[in-house]
Amino acid sequence: MTAPCYNFFLKSGYINAPLSNGIGRFVQQCQRMTIKFCKSHGGSQGVREYIENDLIDFARANPGVVIYLKPRRHRSPVIVTEYLNGHREWMSFHKLSSEEVGKWVHHFRSASGTGEMRYKNFHKTHHPTIQGPWNQFTNKAPEKNLMKFPHESLSNPPNLSPTATEILLELHAGKVIT
């Protein structure tokens, strides 16, 4: 069985938080957005509507993102997003509605800028433990290794507390609850 061929062309790496984001305070990774559009072309209609109606509110809500508008004649509308790690993403907005443009702008604002990646491993640490990784048998009692199964004491669930129905039945019968 062979691996899909697209895995060979993706860059590979480990899962990480960019610039240790979230360890201290959150740093938004989107640094700059450049929206290029045509003032008269029909394919730029949704972008022009978004700029006229929603872009001012977006800019006020996200003061950390610099937004450039670059009108150009007879060209398809595109967005170029630059992130703190130097990565740039480009996407065509040709014939998208104003709502779709808003969704994509929000997506690019909240993205980390790392792009697609084939993961080498799903966990990585800078300080590996000398005792080995945790597993479900790490803190279990060693005497369970010598028991003959099925064992009566292990057949019942641990820390079983009485249910609300059992408590009410005991109260009704006049028994003392322990």
Side-chain angles (χ1 to χ4, degrees), residues 3-178:
C5 64
Y6 65 86
N7 281 343
F8 296 120
F9 300 107
L10 289 176
K11 72 176 190 176
S12 61
Y14 295 101
I15 295 175
N16 64 348
L19 302 172
S20 299
N21 204 4
I23 303 298
R25 66 181 180 96
F26 176 74
V27 178
Q28 186 170 322
Q29 297 298 301
C30 180
Q31 183 179 16
R32 181 180 305 124
M33 286 186 187
T34 306
I35 300 175
K36 303 175 184 179
F37 65 99
C38 179
K39 291 182 179 180
S40 60
H41 192 262
S44 297
Q45 180 66 34
V47 175
R48 288 193 306 268
E49 288 176 3
Y50 179 76
I51 291 170
E52 291 170 3
N53 300 327
D54 300 326
L55 189 64
I56 301 294
D57 297 332
F58 176 80
R60 285 188 184 135
N62 301 291
V65 179
V66 180
I67 301 170
Y68 295 109
L69 297 177
K70 187 174 181 181
R72 40 190 208 158
R73 290 186 176 191
H74 310 297
R75 293 279 187 90
S76 181
V78 296
I79 185 170
V80 179
T81 310
E82 299 175 24
Y83 297 95
L84 287 176
N85 61 1
H87 184 73
R88 298 177 77 192
E89 289 191 33
W90 176 92
M91 183 179 169
S92 174
F93 279 172
H94 186 68
K95 292 188 178 178
L96 292 183
S97 67
S98 175
E99 294 82 21
E100 291 173 326
V101 170
K103 288 179 184 177
W104 279 110
V105 167
H106 177 72
H107 166 75
F108 286 127
R109 179 198 59 85
S110 59
S112 66
T114 57
E116 292 184 10
M117 182 183 300
R118 180 173 50 97
Y119 294 121
K120 291 181 180 178
N121 206 349
F122 289 107
H123 73 281
K124 178 170 176 16
T125 179
H126 296 291
H127 308 287
T129 176
I130 59 172
Q131 298 173 346
W134 179 90
N135 61 32
Q136 63 268 27
F137 304 110
T138 300
N139 297 318
K140 298 292 181 185
E143 57 267 5
K144 290 185 181 177
N145 293 333
L146 303 174
M147 291 183 173
K148 299 286 184 184
F149 292 100
H151 196 271
E152 188 65 33
S153 66
L154 298 177
S155 297
N156 299 326
N159 303 329
L160 184 63
S161 59
T163 63
T165 306
E166 291 172 349
I167 292 172
L168 288 175
L169 288 174
E170 287 179 8
L171 286 173
H172 186 274
K175 295 181 182 178
V176 177
I177 300 173
T178 58

